[in-house]
Amino acid sequence: MAGTVAVTRRSRLQLDLKESPGMNSQSPSGAPGRALRALWGYPRRAPLTLAYVCLLLVTHAWIGYGLSAGRSAGVLGYVSTNPDNLRDHPLSALLGSVLFFDGTLTDVASTGFVGTLITLGLGVCCFLAWAERRWGAVRAVAVFLGGHVAATLLTAAVIAVALRQGWYPASVRQELDFGVSYGAQTVLAVGTLALPRWGRLPWVVFVLGWPLGGAEWAAGPLPDFTTVGHLVAAVLGFGLLGVPAFRRQRVRAGGPSDAAGGCASRRGPVERSASSAAGVQGPPSG
């Protein structure tokens, strides 16, 4: 009998060692493991963001390699949200502009690549995906597109004032101004909610400060209009932090098993307390 008990205990010990996370080579742990699990679950958690990123990569390759230089310039000139285009074809300019990103994926030593990392990498790939998971696709798109459209129109108003004051040259009416950066900047600002409290103030400084790093100052008191647009988009995003609807997380609807599991986990401590008060003991362990 004693031999049988010893064999049983050894078998249980071996089974526990096999199931231990540290002994299981198939389940990666630590930061690399978390990163792999995050990448593996990205399509399920943020399918719309993933589709949008793929679309941006396709249009970037099409403009850069699929068209001639003249036709590429024509397409980008048509979707640019400069004052002339906003007057002639506003919807085509506003919606077409967010189908492209203004940056580089190959020239890693340039400031354009840094901008791509911030807007496409952090803004779209990370924080837009976070917004989609937190609030759902509809609200995430509303934040992104709302920031893009509102910042573009407010910047156009600033350009009109600056032109009357002589702060900007008349050529800004036809300048190229396209891309995802205004929407990404809004999402970056709203994404302050995703950070711990100790990291929020440095993040606010970063979101407001990085556009000023490459700002160009003309004759007047304003920087170039793209810097103005990024600052306006950031202010819009920070303004959304005070809206209660954007501070609440989406309630995910679970299936019958999830609902049952949630109720069981909530009832557990209450049932144990009631059992202890009544003096009821559970069955003896094996």
Side-chain angles (χ1 to χ4, degrees):
M1 184 67 179
T4 303
V5 172
V7 171
T8 303
R9 289 178 178 174
R10 277 199 302 271
S11 301
R12 288 179 178 176
L13 178 61
Q14 292 172 355
L15 181 61
D16 292 340
L17 290 175
K18 289 180 180 180
E19 293 179 351
S20 174
M23 300 296 292
N24 191 351
S25 60
Q26 294 182 353
S27 59
S29 59
R34 288 193 296 270
L36 288 175
R37 287 192 294 272
L39 289 175
W40 182 259
Y42 192 96
R44 176 178 54 83
R45 293 193 303 269
L48 185 64
T49 301
L50 179 61
Y52 183 48
V53 171
C54 293
L55 175 62
L56 290 174
L57 295 176
V58 169
T59 57
H60 186 74
W62 176 60
I63 285 294
Y65 305 102
L67 297 179
S68 63
R71 295 191 64 184
S72 175
V75 171
L76 296 180
Y78 184 79
V79 301
S80 291
T81 54
N82 53 52
D84 284 357
N85 283 354
L86 289 176
R87 185 185 63 250
D88 295 338
H89 49 276
L91 290 180
S92 300
L94 287 170
L95 297 180
S97 178
V98 293
L99 299 179
F100 305 90
F101 66 90
D102 183 17
T104 178
L105 293 173
T106 55
D107 190 4
V108 297
S110 66
T111 57
F113 183 75
V114 176
T116 301
L117 289 180
I118 295 174
T119 57
L120 181 62
L122 284 177
V124 178
C125 295
C126 296
F127 281 91
L128 183 59
W130 167 84
E132 181 180 355
R133 184 182 181 188
R134 180 181 177 92
W135 299 311
V138 174
R139 195 170 297 180
V141 170
V143 171
F144 183 84
L145 281 182
H148 166 74
V149 172
T152 299
L153 297 180
L154 290 173
T155 303
V158 173
I159 292 175
V161 174
L163 286 172
R164 285 198 298 267
Q165 298 295 326
W167 297 338
Y168 287 165
S171 60
V172 298
R173 294 182 180 276
Q174 295 88 27
E175 282 196 22
L176 288 179
D177 184 23
F178 65 93
V180 302
S181 57
Y182 290 173
Q185 184 80 342
T186 305
V187 176
L188 285 173
V190 176
T192 306
L193 292 173
L195 303 177
R197 292 187 181 274
W198 58 264
R200 292 181 179 180
L201 181 58
W203 182 254
V204 170
V205 174
F206 166 74
V207 173
L208 292 174
W210 83 265
L212 293 171
E216 297 178 359
W217 299 83
L222 295 176
D224 59 281
F225 68 91
T226 56
T227 300
V228 172
H230 284 92
L231 294 177
V232 170
V235 171
L236 291 172
F238 290 131
L240 290 176
L241 297 180
V243 179
F246 289 101
R247 298 187 65 87
R248 292 194 300 266
Q249 189 167 356
R250 177 182 56 166
V251 178
R252 295 178 178 271
S257 60
D258 294 339
C263 293
S265 63
R266 287 193 294 271
R267 288 198 306 265
V270 177
E271 291 178 348
R272 286 196 296 270
S273 300
S275 300
S276 299
V280 178
Q281 296 181 353
S285 59

